[in-house]
PDB file of all heavy atoms in Angstrom:
ATOM      1  N   ASN A  80     -11.598   8.736   9.297  1.00 89.00           N
ATOM      2  CA  ASN A  80     -11.964   7.350   8.849  1.00 89.00           C
ATOM      3  C   ASN A  80     -10.898   6.427   9.204  1.00 89.00           C
ATOM      4  O   ASN A  80      -9.700   6.657   8.875  1.00 89.00           O
ATOM      5  CB  ASN A  80     -12.239   7.352   7.358  1.00 89.00           C
ATOM      6  CG  ASN A  80     -13.550   8.059   7.017  1.00 89.00           C
ATOM      7  OD1 ASN A  80     -14.483   8.110   7.794  1.00 89.00           O
ATOM      8  ND2 ASN A  80     -13.591   8.557   5.799  1.00 89.00           N
ATOM      9  N   GLY A  81     -11.196   5.296   9.858  1.00 87.00           N
ATOM     10  CA  GLY A  81     -10.149   4.312  10.175  1.00 87.00           C
ATOM     11  C   GLY A  81      -9.430   4.688  11.420  1.00 87.00           C
ATOM     12  O   GLY A  81      -9.603   5.788  11.991  1.00 87.00           O
ATOM     13  N   PHE A  82      -8.664   3.799  11.977  1.00 89.00           N
ATOM     14  CA  PHE A  82      -7.841   4.028  13.108  1.00 89.00           C
ATOM     15  C   PHE A  82      -6.428   4.385  12.639  1.00 89.00           C
ATOM     16  O   PHE A  82      -6.060   4.293  11.481  1.00 89.00           O
ATOM     17  CB  PHE A  82      -7.816   2.771  14.023  1.00 89.00           C
ATOM     18  CG  PHE A  82      -9.110   2.449  14.538  1.00 89.00           C
ATOM     19  CD1 PHE A  82      -9.890   1.391  14.076  1.00 89.00           C
ATOM     20  CD2 PHE A  82      -9.712   3.203  15.588  1.00 89.00           C
ATOM     21  CE1 PHE A  82     -11.163   1.120  14.560  1.00 89.00           C
ATOM     22  CE2 PHE A  82     -10.950   2.892  16.144  1.00 89.00           C
ATOM     23  CZ  PHE A  82     -11.610   1.866  15.634  1.00 89.00           C
ATOM     24  N   ILE A  83      -5.593   4.777  13.569  1.00 93.00           N
ATOM     25  CA  ILE A  83      -4.246   5.247  13.233  1.00 93.00           C
ATOM     26  C   ILE A  83      -3.462   4.136  12.386  1.00 93.00           C
ATOM     27  O   ILE A  83      -3.015   4.432  11.305  1.00 93.00           O
ATOM     28  CB  ILE A  83      -3.401   5.543  14.485  1.00 93.00           C
ATOM     29  CG1 ILE A  83      -4.098   6.772  15.254  1.00 93.00           C
ATOM     30  CG2 ILE A  83      -1.993   5.908  14.182  1.00 93.00           C
ATOM     31  CD1 ILE A  83      -3.554   6.891  16.703  1.00 93.00           C
ATOM     32  N   ALA A  84      -3.470   2.986  12.975  1.00 93.00           N
ATOM     33  CA  ALA A  84      -2.685   1.874  12.324  1.00 93.00           C
ATOM     34  C   ALA A  84      -3.293   1.540  10.938  1.00 93.00           C
ATOM     35  O   ALA A  84      -2.565   1.281   9.956  1.00 93.00           O
ATOM     36  CB  ALA A  84      -2.607   0.631  13.168  1.00 93.00           C
ATOM     37  N   ASN A  85      -4.603   1.512  10.821  1.00 93.00           N
ATOM     38  CA  ASN A  85      -5.267   1.270   9.558  1.00 93.00           C
ATOM     39  C   ASN A  85      -4.951   2.271   8.493  1.00 93.00           C
ATOM     40  O   ASN A  85      -4.689   1.962   7.388  1.00 93.00           O
ATOM     41  CB  ASN A  85      -6.764   1.125   9.673  1.00 93.00           C
ATOM     42  CG  ASN A  85      -7.199  -0.077  10.402  1.00 93.00           C
ATOM     43  OD1 ASN A  85      -6.488  -1.084  10.374  1.00 93.00           O
ATOM     44  ND2 ASN A  85      -8.389  -0.116  10.974  1.00 93.00           N
ATOM     45  N   ARG A  86      -4.948   3.566   8.946  1.00 93.00           N
ATOM     46  CA  ARG A  86      -4.605   4.624   7.974  1.00 93.00           C
ATOM     47  C   ARG A  86      -3.157   4.514   7.469  1.00 93.00           C
ATOM     48  O   ARG A  86      -2.828   4.652   6.347  1.00 93.00           O
ATOM     49  CB  ARG A  86      -4.853   5.964   8.602  1.00 93.00           C
ATOM     50  CG  ARG A  86      -6.335   6.237   8.885  1.00 93.00           C
ATOM     51  CD  ARG A  86      -6.591   7.602   9.445  1.00 93.00           C
ATOM     52  NE  ARG A  86      -6.157   8.651   8.533  1.00 93.00           N
ATOM     53  CZ  ARG A  86      -6.963   9.179   7.545  1.00 93.00           C
ATOM     54  NH1 ARG A  86      -8.175   8.638   7.436  1.00 93.00           N
ATOM     55  NH2 ARG A  86      -6.525  10.135   6.752  1.00 93.00           N
ATOM     56  N   LEU A  87      -2.287   4.229   8.420  1.00 94.00           N
ATOM     57  CA  LEU A  87      -0.906   4.096   8.056  1.00 94.00           C
ATOM     58  C   LEU A  87      -0.690   2.880   7.074  1.00 94.00           C
ATOM     59  O   LEU A  87       0.073   2.944   6.157  1.00 94.00           O
ATOM     60  CB  LEU A  87       0.047   3.983   9.306  1.00 94.00           C
ATOM     61  CG  LEU A  87       0.071   5.208  10.194  1.00 94.00           C
ATOM     62  CD1 LEU A  87       0.783   4.878  11.506  1.00 94.00           C
ATOM     63  CD2 LEU A  87       0.793   6.338   9.458  1.00 94.00           C
ATOM     64  N   MET A  88      -1.321   1.769   7.436  1.00 95.00           N
ATOM     65  CA  MET A  88      -1.261   0.568   6.639  1.00 95.00           C
ATOM     66  C   MET A  88      -1.796   0.825   5.190  1.00 95.00           C
ATOM     67  O   MET A  88      -1.215   0.338   4.191  1.00 95.00           O
ATOM     68  CB  MET A  88      -1.991  -0.595   7.299  1.00 95.00           C
ATOM     69  CG  MET A  88      -1.803  -1.872   6.592  1.00 95.00           C
ATOM     70  SD  MET A  88      -0.038  -2.415   6.533  1.00 95.00           S
ATOM     71  CE  MET A  88      -0.075  -3.449   5.067  1.00 95.00           C
ATOM     72  N   HIS A  89      -2.881   1.569   5.137  1.00 95.00           N
ATOM     73  CA  HIS A  89      -3.461   1.841   3.840  1.00 95.00           C
ATOM     74  C   HIS A  89      -2.586   2.704   2.939  1.00 95.00           C
ATOM     75  O   HIS A  89      -2.512   2.549   1.717  1.00 95.00           O
ATOM     76  CB  HIS A  89      -4.842   2.428   3.957  1.00 95.00           C
ATOM     77  CG  HIS A  89      -5.914   1.392   4.157  1.00 95.00           C
ATOM     78  ND1 HIS A  89      -6.173   0.794   5.389  1.00 95.00           N
ATOM     79  CD2 HIS A  89      -6.772   0.768   3.267  1.00 95.00           C
ATOM     80  CE1 HIS A  89      -7.111  -0.099   5.262  1.00 95.00           C
ATOM     81  NE2 HIS A  89      -7.488  -0.120   3.997  1.00 95.00           N
ATOM     82  N   ALA A  90      -1.836   3.588   3.573  1.00 95.00           N
ATOM     83  CA  ALA A  90      -0.862   4.466   2.819  1.00 95.00           C
ATOM     84  C   ALA A  90       0.178   3.575   2.205  1.00 95.00           C
ATOM     85  O   ALA A  90       0.582   3.693   1.063  1.00 95.00           O
ATOM     86  CB  ALA A  90      -0.277   5.518   3.668  1.00 95.00           C
ATOM     87  N   LEU A  91       0.714   2.648   2.979  1.00 95.00           N
ATOM     88  CA  LEU A  91       1.760   1.677   2.526  1.00 95.00           C
ATOM     89  C   LEU A  91       1.162   0.807   1.444  1.00 95.00           C
ATOM     90  O   LEU A  91       1.739   0.661   0.383  1.00 95.00           O
ATOM     91  CB  LEU A  91       2.222   0.831   3.683  1.00 95.00           C
ATOM     92  CG  LEU A  91       2.966  -0.437   3.367  1.00 95.00           C
ATOM     93  CD1 LEU A  91       4.280  -0.083   2.696  1.00 95.00           C
ATOM     94  CD2 LEU A  91       3.183  -1.281   4.616  1.00 95.00           C
ATOM     95  N   TRP A  92      -0.040   0.273   1.659  1.00 95.00           N
ATOM     96  CA  TRP A  92      -0.701  -0.591   0.662  1.00 95.00           C
ATOM     97  C   TRP A  92      -0.973   0.120  -0.631  1.00 95.00           C
ATOM     98  O   TRP A  92      -0.809  -0.414  -1.700  1.00 95.00           O
ATOM     99  CB  TRP A  92      -1.957  -1.099   1.331  1.00 95.00           C
ATOM    100  CG  TRP A  92      -2.769  -2.139   0.567  1.00 95.00           C
ATOM    101  CD1 TRP A  92      -4.076  -2.100   0.227  1.00 95.00           C
ATOM    102  CD2 TRP A  92      -2.213  -3.333  -0.029  1.00 95.00           C
ATOM    103  NE1 TRP A  92      -4.415  -3.207  -0.403  1.00 95.00           N
ATOM    104  CE2 TRP A  92      -3.321  -4.036  -0.631  1.00 95.00           C
ATOM    105  CE3 TRP A  92      -0.992  -3.905  -0.101  1.00 95.00           C
ATOM    106  CZ2 TRP A  92      -3.182  -5.251  -1.259  1.00 95.00           C
ATOM    107  CZ3 TRP A  92      -0.866  -5.185  -0.742  1.00 95.00           C
ATOM    108  CH2 TRP A  92      -1.879  -5.810  -1.310  1.00 95.00           C
ATOM    109  N   ARG A  93      -1.385   1.402  -0.573  1.00 97.00           N
ATOM    110  CA  ARG A  93      -1.629   2.184  -1.808  1.00 97.00           C
ATOM    111  C   ARG A  93      -0.363   2.282  -2.605  1.00 97.00           C
ATOM    112  O   ARG A  93      -0.374   2.076  -3.842  1.00 97.00           O
ATOM    113  CB  ARG A  93      -2.072   3.564  -1.431  1.00 97.00           C
ATOM    114  CG  ARG A  93      -2.335   4.480  -2.687  1.00 97.00           C
ATOM    115  CD  ARG A  93      -2.807   5.880  -2.339  1.00 97.00           C
ATOM    116  NE  ARG A  93      -1.917   6.545  -1.506  1.00 97.00           N
ATOM    117  CZ  ARG A  93      -2.224   7.688  -0.926  1.00 97.00           C
ATOM    118  NH1 ARG A  93      -3.357   8.262  -1.073  1.00 97.00           N
ATOM    119  NH2 ARG A  93      -1.287   8.292  -0.223  1.00 97.00           N
ATOM    120  N   GLU A  94       0.718   2.505  -1.952  1.00 97.00           N
ATOM    121  CA  GLU A  94       2.035   2.623  -2.701  1.00 97.00           C
ATOM    122  C   GLU A  94       2.449   1.332  -3.315  1.00 97.00           C
ATOM    123  O   GLU A  94       2.913   1.294  -4.407  1.00 97.00           O
ATOM    124  CB  GLU A  94       3.140   3.212  -1.806  1.00 97.00           C
ATOM    125  CG  GLU A  94       4.367   3.598  -2.553  1.00 97.00           C
ATOM    126  CD  GLU A  94       4.246   4.671  -3.652  1.00 97.00           C
ATOM    127  OE1 GLU A  94       3.161   5.414  -3.674  1.00 97.00           O
ATOM    128  OE2 GLU A  94       5.109   4.738  -4.520  1.00 97.00           O
ATOM    129  N   GLU A  95       2.246   0.217  -2.559  1.00 96.00           N
ATOM    130  CA  GLU A  95       2.576  -1.099  -3.148  1.00 96.00           C
ATOM    131  C   GLU A  95       1.734  -1.356  -4.349  1.00 96.00           C
ATOM    132  O   GLU A  95       2.239  -1.842  -5.393  1.00 96.00           O
ATOM    133  CB  GLU A  95       2.429  -2.221  -2.038  1.00 96.00           C
ATOM    134  CG  GLU A  95       2.832  -3.534  -2.667  1.00 96.00           C
ATOM    135  CD  GLU A  95       3.019  -4.650  -1.618  1.00 96.00           C
ATOM    136  OE1 GLU A  95       3.318  -4.331  -0.458  1.00 96.00           O
ATOM    137  OE2 GLU A  95       2.899  -5.793  -2.071  1.00 96.00           O
ATOM    138  N   ILE A  96       0.493  -1.115  -4.276  1.00 97.00           N
ATOM    139  CA  ILE A  96      -0.498  -1.323  -5.405  1.00 97.00           C
ATOM    140  C   ILE A  96       0.010  -0.528  -6.627  1.00 97.00           C
ATOM    141  O   ILE A  96       0.079  -1.032  -7.720  1.00 97.00           O
ATOM    142  CB  ILE A  96      -1.935  -0.918  -5.027  1.00 97.00           C
ATOM    143  CG1 ILE A  96      -2.498  -2.007  -4.055  1.00 97.00           C
ATOM    144  CG2 ILE A  96      -2.831  -0.857  -6.252  1.00 97.00           C
ATOM    145  CD1 ILE A  96      -3.812  -1.597  -3.454  1.00 97.00           C
ATOM    146  N   ALA A  97       0.339   0.800  -6.372  1.00 97.00           N
ATOM    147  CA  ALA A  97       0.770   1.631  -7.457  1.00 97.00           C
ATOM    148  C   ALA A  97       2.102   1.097  -8.075  1.00 97.00           C
ATOM    149  O   ALA A  97       2.268   1.041  -9.333  1.00 97.00           O
ATOM    150  CB  ALA A  97       0.995   3.082  -6.940  1.00 97.00           C
ATOM    151  N   LEU A  98       3.041   0.714  -7.198  1.00 97.00           N
ATOM    152  CA  LEU A  98       4.308   0.203  -7.803  1.00 97.00           C
ATOM    153  C   LEU A  98       4.135  -1.066  -8.619  1.00 97.00           C
ATOM    154  O   LEU A  98       4.666  -1.244  -9.724  1.00 97.00           O
ATOM    155  CB  LEU A  98       5.314  -0.082  -6.635  1.00 97.00           C
ATOM    156  CG  LEU A  98       5.857   1.146  -5.910  1.00 97.00           C
ATOM    157  CD1 LEU A  98       6.603   0.702  -4.663  1.00 97.00           C
ATOM    158  CD2 LEU A  98       6.715   2.013  -6.819  1.00 97.00           C
ATOM    159  N   VAL A  99       3.200  -1.956  -8.122  1.00 96.00           N
ATOM    160  CA  VAL A  99       3.006  -3.226  -8.872  1.00 96.00           C
ATOM    161  C   VAL A  99       2.226  -2.912 -10.145  1.00 96.00           C
ATOM    162  O   VAL A  99       2.603  -3.446 -11.209  1.00 96.00           O
ATOM    163  CB  VAL A  99       2.314  -4.287  -7.943  1.00 96.00           C
ATOM    164  CG1 VAL A  99       1.885  -5.460  -8.708  1.00 96.00           C
ATOM    165  CG2 VAL A  99       3.147  -4.644  -6.783  1.00 96.00           C
ATOM    166  N   CYS A 100       1.218  -2.076 -10.065  1.00 95.00           N
ATOM    167  CA  CYS A 100       0.426  -1.801 -11.290  1.00 95.00           C
ATOM    168  C   CYS A 100       1.255  -1.099 -12.299  1.00 95.00           C
ATOM    169  O   CYS A 100       1.046  -1.259 -13.550  1.00 95.00           O
ATOM    170  CB  CYS A 100      -0.817  -0.992 -10.938  1.00 95.00           C
ATOM    171  SG  CYS A 100      -2.121  -1.914 -10.067  1.00 95.00           S
ATOM    172  N   GLU A 101       2.151  -0.296 -11.947  1.00 95.00           N
ATOM    173  CA  GLU A 101       3.080   0.453 -12.849  1.00 95.00           C
ATOM    174  C   GLU A 101       4.185  -0.357 -13.432  1.00 95.00           C
ATOM    175  O   GLU A 101       4.943   0.041 -14.230  1.00 95.00           O
ATOM    176  CB  GLU A 101       3.658   1.723 -12.139  1.00 95.00           C
ATOM    177  CG  GLU A 101       2.638   2.829 -11.818  1.00 95.00           C
ATOM    178  CD  GLU A 101       3.188   3.879 -10.971  1.00 95.00           C
ATOM    179  OE1 GLU A 101       4.380   4.017 -10.808  1.00 95.00           O
ATOM    180  OE2 GLU A 101       2.350   4.639 -10.347  1.00 95.00           O
ATOM    181  N   GLY A 102       4.358  -1.597 -12.921  1.00 96.00           N
ATOM    182  CA  GLY A 102       5.343  -2.492 -13.349  1.00 96.00           C
ATOM    183  C   GLY A 102       6.715  -2.217 -12.760  1.00 96.00           C
ATOM    184  O   GLY A 102       7.761  -2.685 -13.217  1.00 96.00           O
ATOM    185  N   VAL A 103       6.795  -1.360 -11.757  1.00 97.00           N
ATOM    186  CA  VAL A 103       8.045  -0.950 -11.127  1.00 97.00           C
ATOM    187  C   VAL A 103       8.661  -2.242 -10.411  1.00 97.00           C
ATOM    188  O   VAL A 103       9.878  -2.451 -10.512  1.00 97.00           O
ATOM    189  CB  VAL A 103       7.841   0.137 -10.028  1.00 97.00           C
ATOM    190  CG1 VAL A 103       9.110   0.418  -9.302  1.00 97.00           C
ATOM    191  CG2 VAL A 103       7.347   1.367 -10.728  1.00 97.00           C
ATOM    192  N   CYS A 104       7.793  -3.086  -9.783  1.00 97.00           N
ATOM    193  CA  CYS A 104       8.292  -4.261  -9.127  1.00 97.00           C
ATOM    194  C   CYS A 104       7.154  -5.299  -9.045  1.00 97.00           C
ATOM    195  O   CYS A 104       5.951  -4.911  -9.299  1.00 97.00           O
ATOM    196  CB  CYS A 104       8.851  -3.943  -7.761  1.00 97.00           C
ATOM    197  SG  CYS A 104       7.663  -3.235  -6.563  1.00 97.00           S
ATOM    198  N   SER A 105       7.534  -6.479  -8.631  1.00 96.00           N
ATOM    199  CA  SER A 105       6.468  -7.476  -8.448  1.00 96.00           C
ATOM    200  C   SER A 105       5.955  -7.272  -6.979  1.00 96.00           C
ATOM    201  O   SER A 105       6.572  -6.571  -6.176  1.00 96.00           O
ATOM    202  CB  SER A 105       7.072  -8.875  -8.588  1.00 96.00           C
ATOM    203  OG  SER A 105       7.957  -9.232  -7.497  1.00 96.00           O
ATOM    204  N   MET A 106       4.845  -7.936  -6.739  1.00 96.00           N
ATOM    205  CA  MET A 106       4.289  -7.865  -5.359  1.00 96.00           C
ATOM    206  C   MET A 106       5.310  -8.573  -4.392  1.00 96.00           C
ATOM    207  O   MET A 106       5.511  -8.022  -3.262  1.00 96.00           O
ATOM    208  CB  MET A 106       2.937  -8.582  -5.304  1.00 96.00           C
ATOM    209  CG  MET A 106       2.285  -8.553  -3.960  1.00 96.00           C
ATOM    210  SD  MET A 106       0.713  -9.351  -3.938  1.00 96.00           S
ATOM    211  CE  MET A 106      -0.230  -8.465  -5.092  1.00 96.00           C
ATOM    212  N   GLU A 107       5.907  -9.602  -4.797  1.00 97.00           N
ATOM    213  CA  GLU A 107       6.825 -10.323  -3.965  1.00 97.00           C
ATOM    214  C   GLU A 107       8.081  -9.390  -3.603  1.00 97.00           C
ATOM    215  O   GLU A 107       8.492  -9.378  -2.492  1.00 97.00           O
ATOM    216  CB  GLU A 107       7.341 -11.596  -4.707  1.00 97.00           C
ATOM    217  CG  GLU A 107       8.301 -12.417  -3.795  1.00 97.00           C
ATOM    218  CD  GLU A 107       8.671 -13.737  -4.445  1.00 97.00           C
ATOM    219  OE1 GLU A 107       8.313 -13.992  -5.639  1.00 97.00           O
ATOM    220  OE2 GLU A 107       9.395 -14.478  -3.841  1.00 97.00           O
ATOM    221  N   ASP A 108       8.492  -8.654  -4.689  1.00 97.00           N
ATOM    222  CA  ASP A 108       9.631  -7.750  -4.435  1.00 97.00           C
ATOM    223  C   ASP A 108       9.225  -6.594  -3.443  1.00 97.00           C
ATOM    224  O   ASP A 108      10.027  -6.205  -2.575  1.00 97.00           O
ATOM    225  CB  ASP A 108      10.179  -7.121  -5.698  1.00 97.00           C
ATOM    226  CG  ASP A 108      10.921  -8.211  -6.535  1.00 97.00           C
ATOM    227  OD1 ASP A 108      11.473  -9.242  -5.960  1.00 97.00           O
ATOM    228  OD2 ASP A 108      10.996  -7.992  -7.778  1.00 97.00           O
TER     229      ASP A 108
END
């Protein structure tokens, strides 16, 4: 599912969402 770049980007995006939702950092950080 998805292309190479999309899959890699979604892995990065998933971790950013998790960090922000857990209060580890802001989206800007």
